[in-house]
């Protein structure tokens, strides 16, 4: 058997390509032929590759040049180069091959590649492992959502077993270029997005160990992912980010250097790695559960430097010129909540007392021109020490991101906050530990959390906090059609769409995104915690629904037309005398019972029971 393997490279990736090939040949008993796709390799480059790998008798190499004109209109993608697109050409380049492997060059193969090649794909166009970025990192979760791809089906295209016969028979290359033209302003991961648009719902799922995404390991640990067993025996290490073993400190870099050192002369490797510090000396992060250990690799020896647990403050010292941190206070968290409010007399006091009981250390509030008793209530709570600061912002321009960022800065600089929750008065953050700071401590070495919202389904009872009905399942368009659900109850209902909020550190904060729904951080490490949920009492009864609509009349004049579409629609209905009719279509008993049967609405009294337990209602 001869196993056909395709890789793409350029002049900057020659040494990684050699290292990858060496790792395959060191672990594989079968003959392998590597087809190296390129557009710029010189004769000298090719000779260097062949000479570096000449000790492997079972290895054949063939260089295939790809015309740069083919992908001249393909958009660049950050650290990804044009060579990433070349894999779509594989089925056309070797028509005598019906099955092939594709590997990215930033990989180390730690298994017999025959095991991957033997994957049965007769009934599938390709096999690939799931890309967990679409499951755990908010930016990519939203990206897959807006591309119309279910995050659980989104695959990572760095390792592919390709049914080339299927590609040729179904003219996939033509479809690829048609989608590239259609989506070139939307795609973020080059050809990977396009392949997912074609095959997300029609591919064989590889075990995660075949594409062990090194930068995501900690996300999987913290979320107790079902693919955690892949950590015990990674078959292919994938250094899939702009941080590679040869240009930065990253976990498992010693495995990459094991093969690179074997084949590449010291001088060339040192030059490639910029001063060659990693060959003899490297400082690497290692994660175990919720702790992080800094490990020094010195001439092949592994020396733990320090262990960093769930902590906030460090003293920085130097040892042999190496920076390291000493734990100063492992349990120090000061959690402050920011609130942007307007006419919230019905709920504001309960909200603030609830969050103080749930572990929040204090609240900073911006009042946007309330005309009811909201400010009076806030002043009373300030006298008690629960509210730290009240900022009066009467402008109706609703510059939410500016106002929230101002409160975050104040929380950090004046009140020493290490973490903040950016909330609205009708949002109640619930911790299964019954203390939000305890839930944050459990989450390990991260700096932000994405929190899912559960929306109330009101039933017009006098005490809306005792209403137990919440939307907990988001329906996709295909489910709506399949189940023949009312478009009024789903497609036009904001409650049925994915919505998230954010809890984050103050250290490293850059900016608030989308009002207060997301955040950008320096060296962002975000997870979806398993034990924090936000219950959103956004609609309490019809009276409040109408008042909320009227409150936005002036503000909507200052906002872009694409902003707050549901509120603009409600305002139009109100002006036409149809708002009550809309409310009754969305929130009636029959609709609630139907959605409950379908699993969209569930009974949940977590917030109400906690409030009763603390004597707050």
């Amino acid at each position: 058997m001869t196993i056909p393997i395709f890789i793409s490279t350029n002049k900057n990736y020659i040494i990684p390509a050699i290292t990858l090939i060496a790792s395959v040949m060191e672990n594989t008993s079968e003959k392998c032929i590597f087809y190296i796709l390129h557009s710029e390799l010189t004769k000298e480059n090719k000779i260097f590759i062949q000479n570096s790998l000449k000790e492997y008798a079972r290895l054949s190499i063939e260089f295939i040049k790809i015309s740069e004109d083919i992908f001249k209109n393909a958009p660049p993608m950050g650290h990804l180069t044009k060579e990433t697109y070349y894999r779509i050409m594989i089925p056309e380049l070797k028509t005598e091959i019906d099955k092939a492997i594709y590997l990215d060059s930033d990989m180390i193969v730690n298994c017999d590649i025959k095991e991957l090649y033997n994957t049965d794909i007769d009934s599938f166009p390709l096999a690939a492992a799931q890309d967990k970025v679409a499951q755990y990192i908010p930016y990519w979760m939203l990206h897959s959502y807006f591309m119309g791809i279910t995050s659980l089906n989104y695959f990572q295209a760095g390792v592919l077993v390709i049914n080339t016969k299927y590609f040729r028979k179904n003219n996939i290359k033509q479809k690829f270029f048609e989608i590239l033209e259609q989506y070139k302003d939307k795609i973020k991961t080059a050809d990977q997005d396009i392949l997912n648009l074609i095959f997300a719902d029609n591919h064989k799922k590889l075990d995660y160990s075949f594409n062990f995404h090194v930068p995501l390991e900690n996300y999987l640990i913290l979320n107790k992912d079902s693919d955690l067993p892949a950590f015990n025996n990674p078959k292919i290490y994938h250094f899939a980010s702009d941080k590679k073993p040869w240009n930065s400190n990253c976990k498992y870099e010693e495995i990459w250097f094991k093969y690179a050192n074997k084949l590449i002369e010291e001088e060339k490797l040192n030059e490639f790695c910029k001063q060659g510090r990693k060959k003899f000396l490297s400082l690497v992060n290692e994660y175990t559960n919720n702790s992080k250990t800094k490990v020094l690799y010195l001439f092949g020896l592994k020396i733990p430097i320090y262990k960093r647990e769930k902590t906030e403050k460090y003293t920085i010292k130097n040892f042999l010129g190496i920076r390291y941190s000493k734990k100063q206070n492992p349990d120090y968290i000061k959690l402050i909540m920011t609130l942007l409010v307007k006419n919230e007399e019905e709920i504001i006091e309960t909200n603030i007392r609830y969050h103080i009981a749930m572990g929040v250390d204090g609240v900073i509030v911006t009042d946007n021109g309330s005309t009811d008793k909201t400010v009076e209530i806030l002043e009373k709570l300030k006298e008690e020490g629960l509210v730290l600061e009240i900022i009066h912002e009467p402008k109706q321009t609703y510059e939410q991101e500016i106002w929230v960022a101002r409160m975050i800065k104040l929380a950090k600089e004046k009140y020493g906050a290490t973490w903040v929750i950016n909330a609205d008065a009708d949002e109640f953050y619930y911790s299964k530990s019954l203390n939000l700071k305890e839930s944050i401590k459990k989450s390990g070495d991260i700096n932000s959390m994405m929190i899912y919202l559960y929306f109330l389904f009101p039933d017009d009872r006098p005490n809306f906090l005792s209403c137990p009905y919440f939307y907990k399942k988001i329906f996709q368009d295909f489910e709506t059609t399949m189940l023949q659900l009312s478009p009024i109850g789903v497609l036009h209902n904001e409650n049925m769409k994915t919505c998230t909020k954010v809890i984050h550190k103050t250290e490293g904060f850059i900016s608030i995104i989308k009002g207060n729904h997301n955040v950008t951080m320096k060296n962002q490490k975000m997870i979806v915690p398993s034990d924090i949920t936000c219950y959103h009492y956004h609609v309490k009864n019809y009276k409040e629904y109408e008042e909320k609509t009227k409150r936005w009349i002036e503000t909507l004049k200052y906002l872009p037309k694409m902003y707050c579409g549901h509120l603009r629609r409600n305002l139009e209905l109100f002006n036409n005398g149809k708002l009550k009719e809309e409310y009754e279509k969305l929130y009636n008993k029959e609709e609630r019972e139907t959605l409950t049967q379908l699993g969209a609405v569930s009974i949940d009294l977590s917030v109400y029971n906690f409030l009763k337990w603390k004597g707050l209602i």
Side-chain angles (χ1 to χ4, degrees), residues 325-519:
S325 302
K326 182 179 179 182
K327 185 170 60 175
Q328 189 177 51
N329 188 342
D331 297 315
Y332 183 74
I333 289 180
K334 185 166 186 180
L335 177 62
I336 287 180
M337 184 168 72
T338 71
L339 279 175
L340 177 57
V341 304
K342 181 174 183 177
N343 292 344
E344 303 287 1
E345 64 179 5
E346 189 178 17
I347 197 172
I348 188 66
E349 182 170 0
T350 303
N351 179 289
I352 291 174
R353 293 190 184 279
Y354 167 88
H355 283 101
I356 296 296
M358 191 58 77
V360 170
D361 294 303
V363 183
I364 295 174
V365 185
T366 294
D367 179 79
N368 189 206
S370 291
T371 55
D372 62 1
K373 294 182 180 179
T374 296
V375 175
E376 181 182 331
I377 295 168
L378 290 173
E379 292 289 356
K380 181 187 74 170
L381 295 174
K382 186 177 181 183
E383 289 179 6
E384 292 184 37
L386 306 184
V387 171
L388 303 173
E389 198 102 14
I390 305 171
I391 301 170
H392 296 283
E393 189 58 75
K395 293 188 296 184
Q396 296 301 306
T397 52
Y398 202 69
E399 300 170 55
Q400 185 179 18
E401 294 173 6
I402 295 174
W403 299 342
V404 173
R406 179 173 61 190
M407 289 190 284
I408 294 169
K409 182 179 180 181
L410 187 64
K412 178 184 179 182
E413 296 181 357
K414 185 174 181 178
Y415 296 101
T418 59
W419 283 81
V420 291
I421 298 174
N422 303 307
D424 298 330
D426 54 8
E427 295 169 353
F428 287 68
Y429 287 75
Y430 181 82
S431 161
K432 291 181 181 177
S433 301
L434 303 183
N435 186 289
L436 289 161
K437 289 197 288 189
E438 288 301 317
S439 292
I440 292 172
K441 290 176 187 177
K442 289 179 183 177
S443 299
D445 185 29
I446 51 102
N447 58 17
S448 49
M449 298 178 173
M450 184 171 67
I451 311 298
Y452 282 101
L453 290 170
Y454 289 166
F455 289 84
L456 182 72
F457 190 111
D459 60 359
D460 290 315
R461 64 182 67 197
N463 181 4
F464 63 85
L465 286 167
S466 67
C467 181
Y469 306 110
F470 287 89
Y471 292 91
K472 289 193 174 181
K473 183 180 188 302
I474 306 302
F475 279 113
Q476 306 293 333
D477 289 349
F478 74 89
E479 289 180 296
T480 306
T481 303
M482 179 178 66
L483 297 170
Q484 297 182 331
L485 297 179
S486 161
I488 297 235
V490 179
L491 297 180
H492 295 159
N493 193 336
E494 289 295 310
N495 318 324
M496 301 302 293
K497 299 177 182 178
T498 303
C499 192
T500 59
K501 298 301 286 282
V502 67
I503 301 175
H504 62 91
K505 281 186 177 180
T506 55
E507 188 67 33
F509 166 75
I510 297 175
S511 64
I512 281 290
I513 308 171
K514 298 181 180 179
N516 61 2
H517 286 270
N518 208 336
V519 66

Side-chain angles (χ1 to χ4, degrees), residues 21-23 25-26 52-59 262-263:
I21 295 171
S23 71
M25 300 314 300
E26 289 284 339
S52 299
L53 295 161
K54 63 184 178 182
E55 69 179 74
Y56 299 113
R58 290 172 283 101
L59 170 65
K262 180 178 175 61
L263 295 176

Side-chain angles (χ1 to χ4, degrees), residues 521-537:
M521 305 284 294
K522 293 179 181 177
N523 302 315
Q524 186 153 5
K525 297 178 182 177
M526 180 179 279
I527 64 164
V528 179
S530 59
D531 59 348
I532 301 179
T533 303
C534 183
Y535 293 84
H536 194 187
Y537 295 83

